[in-house]
Amino acid sequence: MTTAEPTVRGHVQDYLRRVRGGDIGSLPAVLGLIALCVFFGVMRPAFFSAGNFANLFTQGAAVTIIAMGLVFVLLLGEIDLSAGYASGVCASVLAVLLTYQGWPWYAATLAALATGAVIGVSIGFMVAKVGIPSFVVTLAAFLAFQGVALILIKGGTNVPVRDDVLLAVSNRNVPPALGWALFALGVLIYAGIQLWQWRNRHRRGLITDPLGVVLARIGALVAVVGTAVYVLNLERSRNVLITSLKGVPVVVPIIVLLLVILTFVLHRTAYGRHVYAVGGNREAARRAGINVDRIRISVFVICSFMAAIGGVVAASRAASVDANTGGSNVLLYAVGAAVIGGTSLFGGKGRIIDAVIGGAVVAVIDNGMGLMNASAGAKFAWTGAVLLAAASIDALSRRRAAATGLR
């Protein structure tokens, strides 16, 4: 018995069938991102300038990184309301040790990351072992961490961050030649993995995507990322005689590296499969021998650890830490980014790339509304409307998927 060779047409038809059945993934977020970019580009042509394009990355970096960690918690159907202020506490630890205690940047950064991990262990233990709902635990932490941050920075003073290495994270750019080199390396690695997987599965007689689809993915990556690198390498300085401003922001390769690592963890390791299993059906996962409590604790550790990284990035961008670091709309934007990108609030469905796409949507709304001189109220209202639409689409798609037997 021979299996018919997969075709591009058949692959497209199968994808459309899954979309009609409710398995839409990040499609609404991608279409919404394109529509928003077109709208703001038409209303304010400066939106498509190289300077504003670079600003989008640095503006949404901290929120996107925190959202990456929240994906792990949301995959289990849990929530972490403390992620924003957890990032603020970790940033406060960084700034105090760096500025007041004279620690080197790497030691202060490690201390901040360790603080995030400890926060995650504490929250995860209360949720998994004590049995307190994550909403209650993280709401209490949300309130407590505001006080902890105030204590660390001595009642709300502004603590400057002056270390050149840390400031470079959000305020410096990769040299253009190095940016192109990283782009070429990334494309070669991605293409190599995609083609190797296709060849390996094809040789073993397993079902695989058509070669044309694989090549289309590689081509799309080259086109999108290549265009972004080209635009970011354009001169953005208003006066070249004073200073030159071009190159990919340093924070972009950091986000890409985190995206690759966390995606590998979720999709290529037993741990990642266990996370999806627990999120899909906790009792079934327990009966299958998975240590459910350990998985539940671990996702909060990852979430708070990523919040710590987000806090370091935020401190770098502001060149200081104050009582508002990690507060205000940080948590709302981070949760919104994960959900808008396609991660389900009901657990069991989501990818790290969802947080990146959703973070881009949130950054575009915030940036575009700013260019249009919209009020803060209008920004919140539009972001909230997009989040509500994303949650509604998620609920409707799950209902559709259940009705068609895709879930």
Side-chain angles (χ1 to χ4, degrees), residues 333-366:
Y333 278 6
V335 174
V339 176
I340 289 169
T343 301
S344 176
L345 286 168
F346 302 97
K349 188 182 77 171
R351 304 170 299 167
I352 302 301
I353 190 66
D354 294 343
V356 177
I357 296 173
V361 172
V362 171
V364 165
I365 293 174
D366 192 47

Side-chain angles (χ1 to χ4, degrees), residues 15 22-33 36 63-64 67-68 70-71 74-75 259 276 332-345 349-363 365 383 385-394 397:
Y15 174 74
D23 185 10
I24 56 178
S26 299
L27 181 61
V30 173
L31 295 178
L33 179 61
L36 286 169
V63 166
T64 300
M68 288 181 180
L70 281 166
V71 168
L74 292 174
L75 280 173
L259 171 64
Y276 280 108
L332 301 178
Y333 278 6
V335 174
V339 176
I340 289 169
T343 301
S344 176
L345 286 168
K349 188 182 77 171
R351 304 170 299 167
I352 302 301
I353 190 66
D354 294 343
V356 177
I357 296 173
V361 172
V362 171
I365 293 174
T383 305
V386 173
L387 175 58
L388 178 61
S392 301
I393 291 173
D394 176 39
S397 65

Side-chain angles (χ1 to χ4, degrees), residues 1-4 205:
M1 181 177 178
T2 59
T3 303

Side-chain angles (χ1 to χ4, degrees), residues 176-228:
L178 181 57
W180 283 117
L182 292 174
F183 163 69
L185 179 62
V187 168
L188 287 175
I189 293 175
Y190 178 78
I193 293 174
Q194 289 287 313
L195 293 173
W196 178 82
Q197 289 178 343
W198 178 86
R199 183 173 178 272
N200 189 44
R201 293 181 64 86
H202 188 267
R203 184 169 53 186
R204 294 165 60 186
L206 301 175
I207 298 176
T208 184
D209 293 335
L211 181 59
V213 172
V214 175
L215 295 176
R217 287 199 199 107
I218 298 172
L221 178 73
V222 172
V224 174
V225 180
T227 301

Side-chain angles (χ1 to χ4, degrees), residues 206-266:
L206 301 175
I207 298 176
T208 184
D209 293 335
L211 181 59
V213 172
V214 175
L215 295 176
R217 287 199 199 107
I218 298 172
L221 178 73
V222 172
V224 174
V225 180
T227 301
V229 173
Y230 170 78
V231 173
L232 291 171
N233 281 339
L234 296 175
E235 183 60 64
R236 305 192 292 272
S237 176
R238 294 184 178 181
N239 192 334
V240 184
L241 296 177
I242 298 178
T243 183
S244 178
L245 187 61
K246 57 183 178 181
V248 178
V250 172
V251 74
V252 174
I254 295 175
I255 292 177
V256 172
L257 180 62
L258 291 172
L259 171 64
V260 171
I261 293 174
L262 296 180
T263 299
F264 177 83
V265 169
L266 269 184

Side-chain angles (χ1 to χ4, degrees), residues 5-358:
E5 194 75 16
T7 63
V8 175
R9 180 180 180 181
H11 182 86
V12 173
Q13 290 175 340
D14 181 63
Y15 174 74
L16 294 176
R17 180 186 64 80
R18 287 187 285 112
V19 170
R20 287 193 296 268
D23 185 10
I24 56 178
S26 299
L27 181 61
V30 173
L31 295 178
L33 179 61
I34 294 173
L36 286 169
C37 288
V38 171
F39 172 76
F40 288 126
V42 171
M43 298 300 295
R44 290 291 186 272
F47 177 82
F48 284 124
S49 66
N52 190 63
F53 187 55
N55 187 51
L56 282 171
F57 287 101
T58 56
Q59 186 176 347
V63 166
T64 300
I65 292 172
I66 296 173
M68 288 181 180
L70 281 166
V71 168
F72 283 84
V73 173
L74 292 174
L75 280 173
L76 264 59
E78 306 282 3
I79 189 66
D80 187 351
L81 299 177
S82 69
Y85 275 112
S87 72
V89 168
C90 296
S92 299
V93 170
L94 170 77
V96 169
L97 294 178
L98 193 70
T99 303
Y100 294 156
Q101 304 300 322
W103 285 31
W105 70 268
Y106 51 86
T109 302
L110 287 176
L113 299 181
T115 301
V118 170
I119 289 173
V121 171
S122 303
I123 293 175
F125 179 84
M126 297 296 290
V127 172
K129 296 297 186 181
V130 181
I132 305 175
S134 59
F135 179 87
V136 177
V137 175
T138 58
L139 178 60
F142 170 85
L143 298 172
F145 289 160
Q146 296 180 56
V148 172
L150 285 172
I151 293 172
L152 286 172
I153 59 178
K154 295 180 171 49
T157 58
N158 186 293
V159 183
V161 175
R162 299 191 181 95
D163 186 87
D164 290 337
V165 175
L166 289 175
L167 291 176
V169 172
S170 295
N171 300 284
R172 299 288 186 273
N173 302 302
V174 175
L178 181 57
W180 283 117
L182 292 174
F183 163 69
L185 179 62
V187 168
L188 287 175
I189 293 175
Y190 178 78
I193 293 174
Q194 289 287 313
L195 293 173
W196 178 82
Q197 289 178 343
W198 178 86
R199 183 173 178 272
N200 189 44
R201 293 181 64 86
H202 188 267
R203 184 169 53 186
R204 294 165 60 186
L206 301 175
I207 298 176
T208 184
D209 293 335
L211 181 59
V213 172
V214 175
L215 295 176
R217 287 199 199 107
I218 298 172
L221 178 73
V222 172
V224 174
V225 180
T227 301
V229 173
Y230 170 78
V231 173
L232 291 171
N233 281 339
L234 296 175
E235 183 60 64
R236 305 192 292 272
S237 176
R238 294 184 178 181
N239 192 334
V240 184
L241 296 177
I242 298 178
T243 183
S244 178
L245 187 61
K246 57 183 178 181
V248 178
V250 172
V251 74
V252 174
I254 295 175
I255 292 177
V256 172
L257 180 62
L258 291 172
L259 171 64
V260 171
I261 293 174
L262 296 180
T263 299
F264 177 83
V265 169
L266 269 184
H267 296 281
R268 298 294 177 183
T269 66
Y271 170 79
R273 291 189 289 272
H274 290 173
V275 170
Y276 280 108
V278 174
N281 190 317
R282 187 178 302 172
E283 183 57 32
R286 192 189 309 276
R287 291 176 180 273
I290 297 174
N291 190 329
V292 174
D293 287 348
R294 186 170 63 184
I295 295 296
R296 296 179 74 192
I297 294 173
S298 68
V299 297
F300 283 100
V301 173
I302 293 173
C303 181
S304 295
F305 185 82
M306 293 298 293
I309 298 177
V312 173
V313 171
S316 171
R317 184 167 188 260
S320 64
V321 173
D322 57 32
N324 197 44
T325 301
S328 184
N329 55 13
V330 172
L331 172 67
L332 301 178
Y333 278 6
V335 174
V339 176
I340 289 169
T343 301
S344 176
L345 286 168
F346 302 97
K349 188 182 77 171
R351 304 170 299 167
I352 302 301
I353 190 66
D354 294 343
V356 177
I357 296 173

